[in-house]
Amino acid sequence: MLPFKLIYAEGYDLNLGAHVFPSQKYRLIHDRLLEDGIATEGDFLAPEPATDEDVLRVHTREYVHRLKTGTLSRAEEARLEVPYSKKLIEACWLAAGGSILAGRRALQDGWAANIGGGFHHACPDHGEGFCVIHDVAIAIRRLQSEGAVARAMVVDTDVHQGNGTAVVFNGDENVYTLSLHQENNYPFPKPPSTVDVDLPDGIDDERYLAILEKHLHQAFHDFAPDVLFYVAGADPYREDQLGGLALTLEGLARRDALVFDYARRNRVPVAITLAGGYARRVADTVTIHAGTIVAARDAAQHGADRARTQAK
């Protein structure tokens, strides 16, 4: 049994069919975690969909209305880069509910993971880049509205800059946004996060990890969050179809461990979302995402072991 909960529903599948975004990956990750003995069925919780009130804390009423009524313009649908359907909207509201639940469980247990979410390109008045609504922002605003947290940090290691995150939290001193991404890649332009790290094409494990550690050290020096949302993209992988970095499977595992180590040492609860991943072999994307859960498990267990040792 894992020392924290995983949030998942069969409805997470965006029903995209033949598409570069392998939305079946959510089911495959769920199955891999069970097959490899990483998780049991008892480790999973099913979310409720976010309410419209939740979504409206981040998105404009006009945009939400068009999503719910199927009245997006052709240009708006094209910008999404995924085919519009009622099933798509249901899946996105469910994923946002999953990130809310992950945030709550992280505050309760220290760690939690949404096997989905991380739709960081969605902006208040539109969606883009496979992202319809911004589940992480919705979760943070819900937790803040309840008084559960005041200050939040978003660490985004997807290969693409989190432009929606940057726009939603622009000027908000209570949310620190760190995006580590490939400079010569979508989106263009890149609105400013609290800190943006523009990485050169083809960067390898060692250079990437050194840069990440430097910026994690600075982030936790400058800001003390009540919760950390980790947007753990699988697409910095060297075999990714939409990325241009050169991280190995080992390097991505070390990336996750580094983020979790900083959170653990600073005693900050972590809510994980899995974000993008477009490897030529879907099995590689599944391996990377499952590895993020393993890294969180190891960090949580290390923290528990250390606490028991100190208590003796």
Side-chain angles (χ1 to χ4, degrees):
M1 181 177 291
L2 288 169
F4 54 83
K5 293 300 183 182
L6 306 173
I7 317 303
Y8 170 75
E10 289 183 1
Y12 277 8
D13 193 332
L14 301 176
N15 296 283
L16 301 181
H19 194 282
V20 70
F21 189 108
S23 62
Q24 73 274 22
K25 74 177 184 178
Y26 304 122
R27 172 180 52 82
L28 296 174
I29 296 163
H30 168 269
D31 293 350
R32 175 76 69 83
L33 293 171
L34 293 175
E35 290 165 3
D36 289 356
I38 297 164
T40 68
E41 286 289 3
D43 293 321
F44 290 91
L45 296 177
E48 294 292 329
T51 66
D52 289 354
E53 181 183 4
D54 294 329
V55 178
L56 288 166
R57 290 188 174 94
V58 171
H59 295 282
T60 66
R61 189 168 298 277
E62 294 76 15
Y63 177 53
V64 171
H65 175 76
R66 292 196 297 277
L67 288 173
K68 298 293 291 264
T69 58
T71 54
L72 293 174
S73 69
R74 287 186 179 180
E76 286 177 311
E77 286 196 38
R79 196 170 190 179
L80 289 179
E81 298 186 70
V82 291
Y84 176 88
S85 70
K86 290 295 179 66
K87 286 290 188 182
L88 172 71
I89 301 308
E90 291 171 4
C92 292
W93 256 248
L94 191 58
S99 289
I100 292 170
L101 182 55
R104 287 176 170 163
R105 292 300 305 211
L107 294 174
Q108 179 178 328
D109 302 329
W111 306 81
N114 187 11
I115 308 299
F119 296 116
H120 62 164
H121 297 310
C123 294
D125 62 352
H126 72 272
E128 60 176 273
F130 314 152
C131 301
V132 179
I133 58 174
H134 200 306
D135 60 287
V136 169
I138 290 166
I140 290 171
R141 291 305 192 212
R142 174 65 182 265
L143 294 176
Q144 289 177 324
S145 74
E146 296 172 341
V149 304
R151 292 155 63 85
M153 179 183 289
V154 180
V155 174
D156 188 338
T157 59
D158 193 278
V159 78
H160 306 105
Q161 192 238 15
N163 57 325
T165 312
V167 170
V168 170
F169 296 117
N170 180 44
D172 187 339
E173 295 182 354
N174 289 315
V175 181
Y176 187 107
T177 57
L178 169 61
S179 181
L180 197 77
H181 51 261
Q182 184 182 3
E183 181 176 12
N184 297 317
N185 205 331
Y186 178 91
F188 301 105
K190 295 176 174 61
S193 310
T194 307
V195 175
D196 285 296
V197 184
D198 295 320
L199 299 170
D201 298 352
I203 194 169
D204 62 12
D205 290 348
E206 298 307 323
R207 292 169 63 208
Y208 181 100
L209 292 166
I211 292 169
L212 174 60
E213 179 157 26
K214 171 187 173 183
H215 286 282
L216 287 171
H217 177 82
Q218 192 64 50
F220 281 99
H221 177 270
D222 293 344
F223 191 83
D226 301 314
V227 66
L228 167 66
F229 275 83
Y230 178 39
V231 181
D235 43 14
Y237 181 46
R238 63 185 179 185
E239 296 292 331
D240 197 86
Q241 298 175 85
L242 301 184
L245 304 184
L247 272 68
T248 65
L249 295 175
E250 179 189 2
L252 288 160
R254 290 170 62 193
R255 172 202 69 174
D256 295 335
L258 188 59
V259 173
F260 297 146
D261 184 57
Y262 267 85
R264 181 185 57 79
R265 288 192 282 121
N266 286 276
R267 299 183 179 180
V268 178
V270 179
I272 300 161
T273 62
L274 294 182
Y278 318 95
R280 292 174 177 85
R281 296 176 296 276
V282 175
D284 285 348
T285 296
V286 173
T287 295
I288 294 163
H289 286 318
T292 298
I293 305 306
V294 171
R297 177 201 66 189
D298 293 348
Q301 290 176 341
H302 179 78
D305 291 344
R306 186 170 183 178
R308 282 193 292 270
T309 300
Q310 291 174 341
K312 290 180 179 179

